[in-house]
């Protein structure tokens, strides 16, 4: 089945062309690079995995309750709009909400794959090219995983959100080699990592938990990569150059914040214009979604501060978004937790499988003895 058959609304063209700018940079310096970057590259090689083998695709998923979360976190729950709906309409709300969210994850991962390939092409340092090559493979695996999840388990998909598309466009069309880092590694990856974390922690369903945990294990390295490269480079930039990067960050963060409203998902489930407007008012008032949006910047704000973009103007923008207090988050602690959760999930799964095999062997031996 073509993915276009799954889209709730037309996805326009089958391909989207972004005109590339900038140079492809070769380097003839093959000596050892930065120890931290090479260590991250080694970790990127060591941590490669196969989504076909590592994820248990035999696990069932209810498309009308993908994450197994209570209805109370739905923005319109308990409102007059929700009360007017019958059970089938409420099932559609659950389905479309999950389909929209995982579709944006999928499109973001393809964007990350293309951006990391651009980094391989344009970054001047060989150690950064090495690591970005491992990230390109990571992102391909993530896109493969989310595409399979949507096609086989959810059965519904959404085109790329206009705000995410706009940020990808400005990231990829910029000729400066550091912009794919800033747009993808810091903003898009940082937001995605936080979104994955919230969903990983609230889902009660094993398959989405596996997918989110394993993808996050990779993404933690990607954010670390962006921090290392940009922190070193931005120390050498002039004030006007730093201001240009801050302008990009401010605009990108507002785009990402607005992306989370997801108007197209309410339109896609067949609500009329008045009902869609009513739903959007509920989204804007939802206390759960307000907290969710705030948590989504828990990875971006401290990273932006760490790489040296922290003028009063940028802080004012974050205060306006209500996320300035996220600057105190420890990225190291968050990423260490992401690694540990994925490893613990593996250990629990394999221990359970080993116990099942042991029980089968014991039962077979017992049956043979009785015979």
């Amino acid at each position: 089945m073509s993915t276009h058959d799954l889209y709730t609304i037309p996805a326009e063209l089958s391909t989207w062309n972004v005109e590339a700018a900038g140079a492809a940079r070769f380097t003839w310096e093959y000596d050892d690079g930065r120890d931290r970057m090479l260590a991250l590259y080694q970790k990127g090689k060591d941590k490669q995995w196969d989504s076909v083998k590592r994820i248990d695709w035999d696990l069932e998923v209810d498309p009308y309750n993908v994450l197994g979360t209570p209805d109370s976190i739905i923005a319109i729950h308990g409102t007059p709009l929700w009360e007017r709906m019958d059970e089938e309409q409420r099932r559609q709300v659950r389905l479309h909400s999950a389909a929209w969210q995982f579709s944006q994850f999928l499109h973001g991962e393809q964007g990350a794959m293309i951006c990391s390939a651009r980094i391989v092409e344009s970054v001047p340092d060989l150690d950064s090219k090495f690591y970005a090559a491992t990230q390109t493979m990571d992102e391909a695996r993530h896109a493969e995983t989310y595409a399979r999840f949507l096609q086989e388990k959810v059965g519904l998909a959404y085109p790329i959100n206009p705000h995410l598309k706009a940020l990808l466009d400005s990231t990829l069309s910029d000729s400066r080699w550091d912009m794919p880092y800033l747009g993808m590694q810091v903003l898009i990856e940082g937001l995605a990592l936080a979104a994955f974390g919230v969903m990983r922690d609230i889902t009660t369903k094993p398959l989405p938990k596996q997918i989110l945990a394993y993808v996050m294990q990779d993404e933690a390295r990607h954010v670390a990569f962006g921090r290392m490269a940009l922190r070193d480079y931005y120390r050498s930039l002039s004030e006007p150059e730093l201001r240009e990067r801050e302008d990009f960050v401010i605009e990108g963060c507002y785009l990402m914040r607005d992306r989370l409203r997801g108007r197209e998902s309410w339109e896609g489930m067949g609500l009329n214009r008045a009902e869609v407007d009513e739903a959007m008012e509920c989204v804007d008032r939802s206390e759960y979604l307000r907290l969710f949006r705030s948590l989504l910047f828990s990875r971006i704000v401290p990273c932006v501060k760490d790489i040296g973009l922290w003028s009063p103007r940028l802080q004012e923008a974050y205060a306006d978004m209500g996320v300035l207090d996220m600057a105190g988050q420890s990225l190291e602690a968050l990423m260490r937790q992401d690694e540990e959760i994925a490893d613990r999930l593996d250990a629990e799964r394999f221990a359970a499988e080993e116990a099942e095999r042991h029980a089968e062997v014991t039962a077979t031996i017992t049956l043979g003895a009785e015979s």
Side-chain angles (χ1 to χ4, degrees), residues 358-371:
H358 181 73
E360 289 175 1
V361 171
T362 301
T364 301
I365 293 172
T366 301
L367 183 61
E370 291 174 350
S371 301

Short mmCIF file of all heavy atoms in Angstrom, two decimals, residues 358-371:
data_model
loop_
_atom_site.label_atom_id
_atom_site.label_comp_id
_atom_site.label_asym_id
_atom_site.label_seq_id
_atom_site.Cartn_x
_atom_site.Cartn_y
_atom_site.Cartn_z
N HIS A 358 13.32 -21.04 29.52
CA HIS A 358 13.65 -21.96 30.61
C HIS A 358 12.42 -22.78 31.00
O HIS A 358 12.50 -24.00 31.23
CB HIS A 358 14.17 -21.19 31.82
CG HIS A 358 14.56 -22.06 32.97
ND1 HIS A 358 15.69 -22.84 32.97
CD2 HIS A 358 13.93 -22.29 34.17
CE1 HIS A 358 15.77 -23.51 34.11
NE2 HIS A 358 14.72 -23.18 34.86
N ALA A 359 11.27 -22.11 31.07
CA ALA A 359 10.03 -22.81 31.44
C ALA A 359 9.65 -23.84 30.38
O ALA A 359 9.20 -24.94 30.69
CB ALA A 359 8.90 -21.79 31.63
N GLU A 360 9.86 -23.49 29.09
CA GLU A 360 9.55 -24.43 28.02
C GLU A 360 10.44 -25.66 28.08
O GLU A 360 9.99 -26.80 27.91
CB GLU A 360 9.71 -23.74 26.66
CG GLU A 360 8.64 -22.70 26.38
CD GLU A 360 8.91 -21.95 25.09
OE1 GLU A 360 9.94 -22.27 24.43
OE2 GLU A 360 8.12 -21.05 24.74
N VAL A 361 11.74 -25.44 28.33
CA VAL A 361 12.68 -26.56 28.42
C VAL A 361 12.33 -27.46 29.60
O VAL A 361 12.32 -28.69 29.50
CB VAL A 361 14.13 -26.02 28.55
CG1 VAL A 361 15.08 -27.17 28.88
CG2 VAL A 361 14.55 -25.34 27.26
N THR A 362 12.02 -26.82 30.74
CA THR A 362 11.66 -27.60 31.93
C THR A 362 10.40 -28.42 31.69
O THR A 362 10.33 -29.60 32.06
CB THR A 362 11.43 -26.65 33.12
OG1 THR A 362 12.62 -25.90 33.36
CG2 THR A 362 11.06 -27.43 34.37
N ALA A 363 9.41 -27.81 31.02
CA ALA A 363 8.17 -28.52 30.73
C ALA A 363 8.43 -29.70 29.78
O ALA A 363 7.86 -30.79 29.95
CB ALA A 363 7.15 -27.57 30.13
N THR A 364 9.30 -29.50 28.80
CA THR A 364 9.61 -30.56 27.85
C THR A 364 10.32 -31.72 28.54
O THR A 364 10.02 -32.90 28.30
CB THR A 364 10.50 -30.01 26.72
OG1 THR A 364 9.81 -28.94 26.06
CG2 THR A 364 10.84 -31.10 25.71
N ILE A 365 11.29 -31.39 29.43
CA ILE A 365 12.02 -32.42 30.17
C ILE A 365 11.06 -33.21 31.06
O ILE A 365 11.11 -34.44 31.15
CB ILE A 365 13.14 -31.80 31.00
CG1 ILE A 365 14.22 -31.22 30.06
CG2 ILE A 365 13.75 -32.81 31.96
CD1 ILE A 365 15.28 -30.41 30.77
N THR A 366 10.16 -32.46 31.72
CA THR A 366 9.20 -33.11 32.62
C THR A 366 8.29 -34.04 31.83
O THR A 366 8.01 -35.17 32.25
CB THR A 366 8.36 -32.04 33.36
OG1 THR A 366 9.24 -31.20 34.10
CG2 THR A 366 7.37 -32.71 34.28
N LEU A 367 7.82 -33.56 30.67
CA LEU A 367 6.94 -34.38 29.84
C LEU A 367 7.67 -35.64 29.36
O LEU A 367 7.09 -36.73 29.33
CB LEU A 367 6.47 -33.55 28.64
CG LEU A 367 5.47 -34.22 27.69
CD1 LEU A 367 4.19 -34.57 28.44
CD2 LEU A 367 5.16 -33.33 26.49
N GLY A 368 8.96 -35.49 29.02
CA GLY A 368 9.72 -36.65 28.55
C GLY A 368 9.91 -37.66 29.66
O GLY A 368 9.82 -38.88 29.43
N ALA A 369 10.16 -37.17 30.87
CA ALA A 369 10.34 -38.08 32.00
C ALA A 369 9.06 -38.84 32.32
O ALA A 369 9.08 -40.04 32.64
CB ALA A 369 10.80 -37.28 33.22
N GLU A 370 7.92 -38.16 32.22
CA GLU A 370 6.65 -38.82 32.50
C GLU A 370 6.32 -39.86 31.45
O GLU A 370 5.72 -40.90 31.73
CB GLU A 370 5.53 -37.76 32.53
CG GLU A 370 5.64 -36.83 33.75
CD GLU A 370 4.62 -35.71 33.70
OE1 GLU A 370 3.96 -35.58 32.63
OE2 GLU A 370 4.47 -34.98 34.69
N SER A 371 6.78 -39.60 30.20
CA SER A 371 6.51 -40.56 29.13
C SER A 371 7.35 -41.81 29.30
O SER A 371 6.97 -42.89 28.89
CB SER A 371 6.81 -39.93 27.77
OG SER A 371 6.01 -38.79 27.57
#
